[in-house]
C-alpha cells in the first residue's frame, strides 16, 4: 500500500468538514472544492460560518478591517477541531497565518481583473460628473480617483447579489466587482454593462482570483488524519498560480500592508522564465500615487521585490500608508 492510498483510506472513514462563509459566492467556491475532492473518493460536508465581515454590514470595511476580517472565525473553528479545513478567497487571507495553521493549497487562478459594472453607462469615462461608484475597497477607490478625481466613491457592503440589487435600484451609477466572482456565479450576462479593467487601468488586489485552502499544520499535530488532510488538499495546488500569488503576498508583507490597504499588486507569468510585477500605492484622494513595473527572471524575484520596496520607501510610501492608517 503506497502512502497516498494510506491517506485516502484514513479520510474515507468519515467525511471532511469544510468551513465556509455563507454567501452564494463562498458556497460556490466551497462546493467547487467539495466536488474536486469527491472525485477522488473523499466525502466532504459543508459547515457555514459567519465572519466579522459578514456580520457588520453598516460600516466601511476599512473602519472595521484589520487582520482576519473574513477569516478569523473560520480559523478559530479549525483550531478548535470543529472543521477540518477552510476555503477562503485568497485575497482576504492575512499574509501572516495563525500559528498551528497553514495554507495547504492555492488553486488555479481565475481572471484576476476588476470589472466596471453599470446599468446605464458603458465605461468609466461615460459616467456623469460626480458619479456615485460603489466599492468596499480602498485600493479600488484610490485607483478610480486616479482615473477621475470627481468620482464620488461610496462604501458598498454585502454579497455580490446585494450589491447588484443596489445598483439596479439606482443607488449607484456604477460599482466595481471582481471578475472572478462574476464568472463563478455566471451572472455577467444579466448586467447591461460589464467592462473588464486591464491591469494598466486598475491593478488587482494580491492573490485576487485564487482560492486558499487552509488546514491545521501537521507539524504541530500528532494526528495522522491532519497529515492526510494536508496531503489531499496539496493535490489541488496549482504551482504557476501559487508562484504569482505568493510573490504578491510577500510584497504586501514587506511593505507592511494588509488586505484592506490601498495597495494593488499583480504578478504575471511571461514566457522564457520571466515575470512581470506591477504595483500601485496611493492615498485615498489619489493626489499621491506611486507606481512601479518590473520584468525579471523567476530566480531574481527576492532581489527585485526588495529593490521595489526600497524604491517605494525612498519615494514616501511609508508616509502615504501612515496617513491612511490615521483615518
Amino acid at each position: 500500500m503506497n502512502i497516498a492510498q494510506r491517506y485516502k483510506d484514513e479520510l474515507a472513514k468519515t467525511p471532511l468538514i469544510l468551513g465556509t462563509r455563507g454567501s452564494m459566492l463562498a458556497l460556490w467556491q466551497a462546493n467547487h472544492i467539495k466536488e474536486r475532492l469527491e472525485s477522488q473518493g473523499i466525502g466532504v460536508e459543508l459547515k457555514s460560518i459567519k465572519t466579522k465581515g459578514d456580520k457588520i454590514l453598516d460600516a466601511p470595511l476599512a473602519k472595521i478591517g484589520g487582520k482576519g476580517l473574513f477569516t478569523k472565525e473560520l480559523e478559530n473553528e479549525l483550531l478548535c477541531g470543529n472543521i477540518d479545513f477552510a476555503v477562503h478567497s485568497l485575497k482576504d487571507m492575512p499574509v501572516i497565518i495563525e500559528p498551528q495553521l497553514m495554507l495547504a493549497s492555492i488553486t488555479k487562478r481565475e481572471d484576476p481583473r476588476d470589472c466596471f459594472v453599470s446599468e446605464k453607462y458603458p465605461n468609466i469615462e461615460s459616467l456623469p460628473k460626480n458619479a456615485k461608484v460603489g466599492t468596499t475597497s480602498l485600493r479600488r477607490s484610490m485607483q478610480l480617483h486616479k482615473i477621475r478625481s470627481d468620482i464620488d466613491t461610496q462604501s458598498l457592503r454585502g454579497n455580490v447579489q446585494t450589491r447588484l440589487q443596489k445598483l439596479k435600484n439606482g443607488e449607484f451609477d456604477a460599482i466595481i466587482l471582481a471578475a472572478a466572482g462574476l464568472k463563478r456565479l455566471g451572472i455577467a450576462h444579466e448586467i447591461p454593462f460589464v467592462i473588464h479593467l486591464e491591469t494598466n487601468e486598475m491593478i488587482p488586489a494580491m492573490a485576487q482570483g485564487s482560492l486558499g485552502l487552509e488546514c491545521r499544520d501537521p507539524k504541530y499535530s500528532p494526528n495522522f488524519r491532519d497529515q492526510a488532510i494536508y496531503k489531499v488538499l496539496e493535490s489541488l495546488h496549482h504551482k504557476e498560480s501559487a508562484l504569482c500569488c505568493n510573490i504578491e503576498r510577500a510584497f504586501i508583507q514587506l511593505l507592511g500592508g494588509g488586505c484592506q490597504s490601498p495597495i494593488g499588486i499583480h504578478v504575471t507569468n511571461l514566457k522564457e522564465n520571466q515575470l512581470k510585477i506591477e504595483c500601485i500605492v496611493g492615498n485615498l484622494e489619489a493626489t499621491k500615487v506611486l507606481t512601479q513595473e518590473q520584468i525579471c527572471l523567476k530566480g531574481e524575484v527576492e532581489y527585485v521585490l526588495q529593490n521595489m520596496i526600497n524604491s517605494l520607501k525612498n519615494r514616501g510610501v511609508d508616509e502615504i500608508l501612515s496617513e491612511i492608517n490615521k483615518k
Side-chain angles (χ1 to χ4, degrees), residues 65-134:
K67 188 177 177 181
L69 184 64
F70 291 109
T71 60
K72 187 67 175 177
E73 287 81 358
L74 289 162
E75 291 181 330
N76 287 342
E77 292 288 295
L78 265 174
L79 290 168
C80 292
N82 295 329
I83 61 175
D84 292 308
F85 71 105
V87 174
H88 307 287
S89 291
L90 189 54
K91 69 184 178 68
D92 294 329
M93 282 195 74
V95 292
I96 299 176
I97 297 173
E98 287 288 327
Q100 299 185 347
L101 299 179
M102 69 177 303
L103 187 56
S105 177
I106 294 174
T107 66
K108 185 176 181 180
R109 199 172 205 172
E110 185 49 87
D111 190 333
R113 294 174 294 177
D114 288 306
C115 282
F116 170 88
V117 181
S118 180
E119 290 282 322
K120 299 179 182 178
Y121 304 102
N123 50 46
I124 294 173
E125 292 73 19
S126 66
L127 288 169
K129 188 173 176 60
N130 301 318
K132 293 181 180 179
V133 180

Side-chain angles (χ1 to χ4, degrees), residues 19-67:
T20 175
R21 295 165 61 197
S23 72
M24 192 176 293
L25 178 57
L27 290 172
W28 184 98
Q29 293 170 171
N31 277 301
H32 172 67
I33 298 303
K34 179 176 184 284
E35 289 168 7
R36 291 188 66 184
L37 291 175
E38 287 178 340
S39 71
Q40 298 185 44
I42 298 164
V44 178
E45 294 179 0
L46 303 189
K47 181 176 180 179
S48 181
I49 299 162
K50 276 200 169 185
T51 69
K52 181 180 178 182
D54 300 312
K55 294 172 185 174
I56 304 175
L57 296 175
D58 57 353
L61 285 179
K63 297 293 183 184
I64 61 169
K67 188 177 177 181

Side-chain angles (χ1 to χ4, degrees), residues 12-24:
K13 296 175 183 176
T14 55
L16 296 181
I17 307 300
L18 188 169
T20 175
R21 295 165 61 197
S23 72
M24 192 176 293

Side-chain angles (χ1 to χ4, degrees), residues 118-158:
S118 180
E119 290 282 322
K120 299 179 182 178
Y121 304 102
N123 50 46
I124 294 173
E125 292 73 19
S126 66
L127 288 169
K129 188 173 176 60
N130 301 318
K132 293 181 180 179
V133 180
T135 174
T136 62
S137 162
L138 297 184
R139 172 190 61 83
R140 290 170 177 161
S141 181
M142 176 267 292
Q143 293 187 84
L144 282 169
H145 287 142
K146 179 175 178 286
I147 297 168
R148 277 187 52 177
S149 61
D150 67 291
I151 285 176
D152 179 12
T153 57
Q154 298 192 355
S155 177
L156 175 60
R157 299 293 314 282

Side-chain angles (χ1 to χ4, degrees), residues 181-201:
L182 289 172
K183 185 169 182 179
R184 285 167 175 154
L185 292 173
I187 56 177
H189 68 281
E190 301 172 9
I191 310 160
F193 298 106
V194 177
I195 306 300
H196 289 76
L197 300 172
E198 300 302 330
T199 58
N200 61 356
E201 299 173 276

Side-chain angles (χ1 to χ4, degrees), residues 48 52 91 110 116 151 170 220 227 254 258 268 308 318 322:
S48 181
K52 181 180 178 182
K91 69 184 178 68
E110 185 49 87
F116 170 88
I151 285 176
Y220 297 96
Q227 296 178 38
L254 286 168
T268 308
M308 291 177 71
D318 289 336
S322 177

Side-chain angles (χ1 to χ4, degrees), residues 102-107 211-214 233-238:
M102 69 177 303
L103 187 56
S105 177
I106 294 174
T107 66
L211 305 179
L213 310 187
E214 188 177 24
L233 295 183
E234 190 182 36
S235 71
L236 304 183
H237 191 65
H238 189 264

